Amino acid sequence: MEASVSAAVNVSMLAMSVIFTVLIILIFTIKALVKLIPYEAPPAPPARKVSASSPPEQDDQVAAITASLAAHIGKRPDEFRIVNIQSR
Amino acid sequence: MEFSFSSSTQKIVNSTAFTTLESGDALMIGIACLLVYLAIWKKFEPLLLLPMGFGCLLANVPMSMMASTDTGGLLNFFYQGIKHEVLPPIIFMGVGALTDFGPLLANPTVLLLGAAAQIGVYMTLIGAVFLGFNMQEASAIGIIGGADGPTSIFLASKLAPHLLAPIAVAAYSYMSLVPLIQPPIMRLLTTKEERKIKMEQLKPISQTVKIIFPVAVTIVCCLMLPGVTPLLGMFMLGNMFRESGVTARLHETAETHLINIVTIFLALAVGSSMTAESFLRLETLKIIALGLLAFAFATAGGVIFGRIMCKVSGGKVNPLIGSAGVSAVPMAARVSQKVGSEEDSSNFLLMHAMGPNVAGVIGSAVAAGVFLSLFGDVGSSIDTHAALAPVIGNPEAGIQALATVVEVIKQ
């Protein structure tokens, strides 16, 4: 197939339009689902004791655990701080 | 049979691969060793580049019958998994089993970042056409910007199988270089204040929504772009295994053993396609250059759209999460977290960046679907089915084989 830059530009614009259209449909689908089926909080699990010193490297783990914990207890991530992660 | 020491020695010498080793083979063996070196010592996507490099090494040993084109050879058998679109969708199923759509469902507007980052695909498409590739080849090269290995392999095997090897190598190499490619672009396109923006806590999502979501995506996307069904459908099936809560064994298998096994087959098969004839060409250098362009534009597209969302939302969106829209899960999200935490160590962007990151996977699959709709023969799999029909439709052969196995076990 012969290809020209102008044809490629047209294809790109068309394809980007299709991608945005599909993903916008998905956004509305998700919003409808979330509205129709709201979240119900599960019973809180027993609290765990956390000890107090932390190695400096573990940024990703700290970020992931902080975000999950914040979602779980309903606080902002900067309202509390994880000081240590220990593997069992 | 007469035995002569000298003639036998001569025969053995003549049967060694050294006699047919050409400069191209030697160079490819060097490239194979380089890939293995990058995988082991530089940690460049080692799970892929190590078997890929070793597959390349095996394929370039003359007379070894290990190239993807050597009918009857071991790696030719694995290569059928790419040719018949089996392996990339199975990898996608494993990726689906590993993916948590929670951050995306909590903030669905970030899907737009996954769409915006696909600009890298189309800028590369235009660049590839400018460099003389035809539209199918340019599409297969452009999808490198989707930063999704299985999607790149899937599309290349459909639209430009002769470019599969350089496309796969470029895709996986640049994916491993995401932590080096993205941060300068992210810093260049954002202000210090924007990088410090703290985003609101994500809302929790009902488990029922998480279960319905894969079905909804499958229905919406696959009905609109049926060509992408093998990829997206398997991706969503893997996620159903994860979220349904009733298929723990399937979920565990898909996210661990199955994806690992198929990764070995896929990487070896791609490596086996890296022969001197297919790889040592000017096109390879062009594809390597275009791949870098693809990643750079994809990152820029995501970040610029992130800035737009930041303005529109009144400063509630940190533009750094836009770069995660390139896919490359989860490395791109980790880069967003890292660059954000450099400005403010108490800013945790990782979970916010996971939304556009998984949106990027869907976006790149949709981009592939668009290419297949435009340039692929969506119905071509019918030919594959026709070719397999005599085998599938002959139960007697299968029963005979089973009976043989039973006999062997009895003995």
Side-chain angles (χ1 to χ4, degrees), chain B residues 102-123:
Chain B
L104 174 68
L105 295 170
N107 187 9
T109 49
V110 295
L111 266 165
L112 295 174
L113 294 172
Q118 305 311 314
I119 192 75
V121 172
Y122 298 102
M123 294 306 287

Side-chain angles (χ1 to χ4, degrees), chain B residues 25-377:
Chain B
D25 301 323
L27 188 57
M28 286 309 297
I29 288 173
I31 291 172
C33 294
L34 176 69
L35 291 179
V36 171
Y37 166 78
L38 291 174
I40 297 174
W41 281 282
K42 296 292 178 184
K43 305 281 188 290
F44 281 15
E45 291 280 337
L47 296 179
L48 266 302
L49 281 195
L50 181 59
M52 202 184 285
F54 212 87
C56 173
L57 176 65
L58 296 173
N60 285 284
V61 173
M63 301 153 67
S64 66
M65 291 291 287
M66 293 293 260
S68 64
T69 48
D70 291 331
T71 309
L74 176 66
L75 298 187
N76 173 264
F77 178 70
F78 292 171
Y79 189 76
Q80 300 307 310
I82 292 179
K83 195 175 171 185
H84 296 296
E85 307 155 24
V86 175
L87 300 181
I90 296 177
I91 296 262
F92 247 56
M93 184 170 72
V95 175
L98 285 162
T99 302
D100 176 13
F101 282 117
L104 174 68
L105 295 170
N107 187 9
T109 49
V110 295
L111 266 165
L112 295 174
L113 294 172
Q118 305 311 314
I119 192 75
V121 172
Y122 298 102
M123 294 306 287
T124 312
L125 169 88
I126 294 166
V129 168
F130 183 74
L131 289 179
F133 290 99
N134 68 33
M135 207 62 102
Q136 281 99 333
E137 292 169 337
S139 304
I141 295 165
I143 206 71
I144 295 173
D148 203 319
T151 308
S152 301
I153 292 170
F154 181 78
L155 199 66
S157 67
K158 283 207 149 203
L159 297 184
H162 55 291
L163 297 179
L164 175 67
I167 286 173
V169 170
Y172 282 114
S173 302
Y174 288 129
M175 275 166 65
S176 67
L177 291 174
V178 157
L180 296 178
I181 296 170
Q182 285 196 321
I185 300 167
M186 292 161 75
R187 290 190 201 103
L188 184 72
L189 295 175
T190 53
T191 64
K192 202 165 184 158
E193 285 66 38
E194 285 172 336
R195 293 198 289 274
K196 283 182 179 174
I197 291 174
K198 288 184 180 177
M199 293 181 66
E200 281 178 16
Q201 182 56 44
L202 295 171
K203 292 172 194 163
I205 293 295
S206 154
Q207 190 60 28
T208 312
V209 173
K210 288 185 175 179
I211 294 169
I212 295 172
F213 177 69
V215 180
V217 173
T218 307
I219 292 170
V220 171
C221 296
C222 298
L223 280 178
M224 288 189 77
L225 302 160
V228 82
T229 307
L231 277 185
L232 210 53
M234 295 301 275
F235 184 54
M236 293 303 155
L237 173 64
N239 194 253
M240 281 289 279
F241 288 157
R242 175 195 176 92
E243 301 296 352
S244 67
V246 293
T247 52
R249 282 161 52 196
L250 302 185
H251 171 218
E252 189 191 344
T253 302
E255 73 170 358
T256 53
H257 310 304
L258 185 60
I259 194 171
N260 291 341
I261 291 166
V262 176
T263 298
I264 295 171
F265 289 163
L266 182 79
L268 273 173
V270 170
S272 74
S273 68
M274 291 174 64
T275 54
E277 301 83 58
S278 70
F279 201 82
L280 297 179
R281 295 185 300 182
L282 182 62
E283 282 81 3
T284 301
L285 291 177
K286 290 181 184 173
I287 290 168
I288 300 287
L290 287 165
L292 181 61
L293 185 81
F295 270 68
F297 273 107
T299 304
V303 174
I304 290 169
F305 204 87
R307 286 191 76 173
I308 294 169
M309 284 180 70
C310 178
K311 298 281 181 203
V312 171
S313 67
K316 287 182 180 174
V317 175
N318 188 318
L320 292 178
I321 67 167
S323 65
V326 302
S327 193
V329 182
M331 203 180 286
R334 293 176 67 173
V335 171
S336 298
Q337 159 67 27
K338 185 173 171 288
V339 177
S341 65
E342 281 170 5
E343 296 298 337
D344 181 351
S345 59
S346 66
N347 197 1
F348 296 104
L349 292 175
L350 188 69
M351 291 310 285
H352 298 287
M354 282 308 293
N357 212 190
V358 294
V361 178
I362 298 173
S364 58
V366 172
V370 175
F371 281 141
L372 287 174
S373 299
L374 289 171
F375 308 119
D377 184 2

Side-chain angles (χ1 to χ4, degrees), chain B residues 392-405:
Chain B
I392 297 167
N394 184 7
E396 285 166 12
I399 292 165
Q400 279 175 4
L402 200 62
T404 311
V405 172

